[in-house]
Amino acid sequence: MTIMSSDQIENMSEKEILVQILKTLISIDQRMDRLVPGDVSMTRKTSIEDDNEGPSTGLDVMTLLSLPEHLRTTATVLFELGESTAEDISQVTLKEGAVESGYLNQLVRMRHVKKYRAGRKVYFCIIDNKNID
């Protein structure tokens, strides 16, 4: 996928622009399919958060696209790694562990991610809407 300059776009016909947009959307769709396969399932653990705070929303493709870039990056890495600590995610994103912890806690407050403790470590996982109790 190449990024076109405004001069290149101005010299294209409407049909050529629409074809380029379609190719870009197909490319994005294919990348999202690799990122979020249809059979993604996360095991549910005892949550640190109160389960009586309302319904969980999980993360679908449209929600993921609507997130700000920094949260989308964190959520994407969490999808790829599965259940992880903030430190695990920070090693991939090359951001500080405290920064990633803040981003993950934002995703928890938005009800896209679950947080649980195993011993002294705090783990995060994507909420699976199909298996919510």
Side-chain angles (χ1 to χ4, degrees):
M1 181 170 65
T2 60
I3 299 175
M4 302 181 75
S5 70
S6 58
D7 291 338
Q8 290 174 315
I9 293 172
E10 287 177 10
N11 294 329
M12 294 173 67
S13 71
E14 187 175 322
K15 183 177 180 180
E16 290 171 324
I17 293 171
L18 290 173
V19 167
Q20 188 65 34
I21 291 171
L22 180 61
K23 287 179 182 178
T24 303
L25 288 172
I26 289 170
S27 173
I28 291 170
D29 185 51
Q30 290 170 341
R31 290 177 185 181
M32 294 303 294
D33 285 344
R34 282 194 307 251
L35 185 66
V36 187
D39 61 342
V40 171
S41 67
M42 304 296 289
T43 57
R44 186 161 176 179
K45 307 276 183 177
T46 305
S47 172
I48 292 175
E49 302 297 316
D50 185 4
D51 286 334
N52 298 326
E53 292 180 8
S56 301
T57 61
L59 271 177
D60 58 12
V61 174
M62 292 309 295
T63 305
L64 189 62
L65 289 173
S66 70
L67 291 174
E69 181 72 26
H70 63 286
L71 294 180
R72 187 178 325 129
T73 301
T74 298
T76 301
V77 172
L78 185 57
F79 267 122
E80 292 170 358
L81 296 180
E83 298 176 5
S84 306
T85 64
E87 193 62 36
D88 296 336
I89 292 173
S90 72
Q91 290 174 358
V92 176
T93 63
L94 304 177
K95 297 176 186 168
E96 292 294 322
V99 171
E100 286 301 338
S101 178
Y103 294 164
L104 287 161
N105 282 308
Q106 276 185 284
L107 291 167
V108 169
R109 285 190 299 275
M110 296 168 76
R111 301 191 196 296
H112 298 311
V113 170
K114 274 290 188 190
K115 178 179 178 180
Y116 66 93
R117 184 177 298 275
R120 295 189 66 190
K121 290 193 175 215
V122 176
Y123 288 87
F124 297 87
C125 66
I126 302 293
I127 292 173
D128 181 8
N129 282 336
K130 293 179 244 174
N131 298 326
I132 293 177
D133 314 323

